[in-house]
Amino acid sequence: MHPTLKPALRRGWRDLSTVQFGVAPAHAMALGPMDTATGSFLSLLDGTRGLPLLREEARRMGLPDGHVDRLLGELSQAGLLDDATGGGPAADALRKRSGAMDRLRSDLASVSLLTSEPGEAIERLAARRAMRVRVQGAGRVGAVVASVLAGAGVGRVEVMDGGQVEPWDVAPGGLPAEAIGERRDTTARRLVRQSAPDRPPRTNRATSPGSPSAGPSLWQAPTAENRAGLSLVVIAPREGLDAYAPDPVHAEDLLAAGIPHLYAGVIEGTGVVGPLVLPGSTACAGCLFRQRADRDPTWARMLAQWRSGRSRHVPACDLALSTSVAGLVAGHALAFLDGASTAATGVRWEASVPGFDWHARPVWPHPACPCGAGADVKGDRLTTEKERHATMAG
């Protein structure tokens, strides 16, 4: 082990005996009391020394025997310590790819804020390289999502869409202006390759994402397709209505295969992210439709009109809003892939121009939906929905 203080957290002395790690309240922590010699010793925790050398340096500084081990134990328990050589074989392989490692250092520092065990952050980052994600849609949202996931180290990012790149598809971080007239899927795949830190490692089915040996790859599904390596599908259609009110039929294959999927898009002046669907456990598109129909008896009629009478005009898709949606959905996707909890599970996030004020709207499993997530829900659904909303409002 080569201990190192997590570089993402800046240090400062609150007083003569108290050290604060971190600036922002979300991850800041103060430790004390701490004497001057111990404070000086902290500068040696930079990942360049193993434990024997650190103990020897501590003796030279006049620190008592056992002090280093106790200090490292406290720092580790507080989640402030990392291991510059930890993480296992996959992490070692990533470190050897210096170009990719340099591209991912900022991401590694960020992931370290969410891990407690030394070496866990780079283990998660290395596990991303073996994961496979599909993005359905290569518009202003989907193309940016794909490039962000690839740039953050997800090894295999597939993009599916049809048609040619239109001028209104172009977005910073997404499809470039010089691609206008080219096939959307071809251009998006080229964008993914350009965004990735390096080429992904070769894997076989025995160690593909979704199997226990692939690292913290979250969702274990009993189907052949999921075991083949598809960890997540991001559904980001260019037609915003398909994200705001997704057709349950289009997700039947994903539900049947047990593949997690996450919706995102822009409808008129509103951006939507979620829900993240864990088949059989959380609300799906069918639950979303039934929940809305319970509250609004005209919903099915209105939705049929909107779907059948789609305008041929270019749809509204504010660039700042679509970029915000892409960033948020990519963040939720990465959190899920890393095995962390995500606020998109069973929740839809919505924000509209010009305020960009994100609101969480719960999507509950519906007892009448064949997805099975609401099988344990009892009683009248409409009454249950009203009671839940009243409780949240209170």
Side-chain angles (χ1 to χ4, degrees):
M1 180 179 182
H2 283 59
T4 178
L5 291 171
K6 291 185 176 179
L9 299 174
R10 302 186 185 190
R11 293 201 307 275
W13 290 84
R14 296 185 64 87
D15 53 43
L16 294 178
S17 61
T18 306
V19 180
Q20 177 170 315
F21 297 83
V23 178
H27 302 105
M29 181 180 301
L31 291 184
M34 188 172 296
D35 58 76
T36 303
T38 302
S40 299
F41 178 80
L42 293 179
S43 62
L44 301 180
L45 300 179
D46 57 5
T48 62
R49 302 170 179 83
L51 288 175
L53 184 55
L54 285 172
R55 295 186 184 110
E56 182 179 339
E57 294 285 355
R59 284 193 294 270
R60 292 175 181 171
M61 299 174 67
L63 294 172
D65 292 340
H67 185 77
V68 168
D69 296 89
R70 288 192 298 272
L71 175 63
L72 294 178
E74 293 174 0
L75 292 171
S76 179
Q77 187 175 11
L80 299 172
L81 199 66
D82 210 340
D83 181 4
T85 58
D92 291 338
L94 178 57
R95 290 190 186 95
K96 292 177 182 178
R97 305 183 75 86
S98 58
M101 192 67 252
D102 287 343
R103 286 274 301 273
L104 293 170
R105 288 195 186 280
S106 291
D107 300 272
L108 176 62
S110 179
V111 174
S112 74
L113 298 175
L114 309 176
T115 59
S116 56
E117 295 297 323
E120 185 179 357
I122 194 168
E123 181 181 12
R124 289 191 183 185
L125 202 63
R128 289 181 185 178
R129 300 182 72 230
M131 293 179 181
R132 175 176 161 229
V133 175
R134 178 183 299 161
V135 179
Q136 294 181 186
R140 281 189 162 185
V141 174
V144 176
V145 170
S147 67
V148 171
L149 294 180
V154 177
R156 290 167 174 80
V157 180
E158 304 170 359
V159 186
M160 297 178 60
D161 206 342
Q164 297 179 331
V165 178
E166 302 287 357
W168 48 86
D169 292 326
V170 172
L175 303 182
E178 56 269 23
I180 293 174
E182 296 181 3
R183 287 180 45 160
R184 282 195 183 91
D185 57 354
T186 302
T187 303
R189 290 165 191 163
R190 183 169 63 245
L191 173 67
V192 165
R193 290 194 298 269
Q194 294 171 344
S195 301
D198 68 343
R199 298 182 64 181
R202 292 183 178 181
T203 58
N204 55 46
R205 292 180 183 270
T207 57
S208 62
S211 63
S213 59
S217 186
L218 40 102
W219 187 255
Q220 306 298 320
T223 63
E225 182 176 358
N226 205 22
R227 284 197 299 269
L230 193 55
S231 300
L232 177 68
V233 172
V234 177
I235 302 175
R238 287 176 288 109
E239 169 53 66
L241 186 63
D242 293 337
Y244 185 75
D247 190 337
V249 174
H250 296 162
E252 286 180 350
D253 290 345
L254 297 176
L255 289 171
I259 298 174
H261 45 286
L262 174 59
Y263 292 95
V266 174
I267 176 73
E268 298 168 350
T270 297
V272 295
V273 175
L276 169 62
V277 180
L278 306 181
S281 298
T282 66
C284 69
C287 297
L288 180 65
F289 170 78
R290 288 170 174 83
Q291 182 185 123
R292 184 62 182 266
D294 285 345
R295 298 197 306 268
D296 182 359
T298 69
W299 179 246
R301 183 188 314 138
M302 296 298 296
L303 192 55
Q305 294 176 67
W306 291 329
R307 286 175 176 166
S308 62
R310 292 181 177 178
S311 173
R312 295 185 179 181
H313 298 293
V314 176
C317 188
D318 181 85
L319 182 57
L321 181 61
S322 66
T323 305
S324 300
V325 169
L328 187 59
V329 72
H332 284 304
L334 289 169
F336 176 69
L337 294 171
D338 289 343
S341 60
T342 166
T345 305
V347 173
R348 159 168 282 172
W349 290 88
E350 297 182 9
S352 301
V353 293
F356 293 90
D357 187 11
W358 288 97
H359 296 279
R361 305 190 185 282
V363 183
W364 309 107
H366 198 285
C369 185
C371 75
D376 58 345
V377 179
K378 299 179 180 180
D380 179 75
R381 188 61 189 177
L382 181 57
T383 301
T384 303
E385 285 297 328
K386 289 181 178 178
E387 290 174 350
R388 281 175 167 164
H389 281 283
T391 301
M392 291 187 65

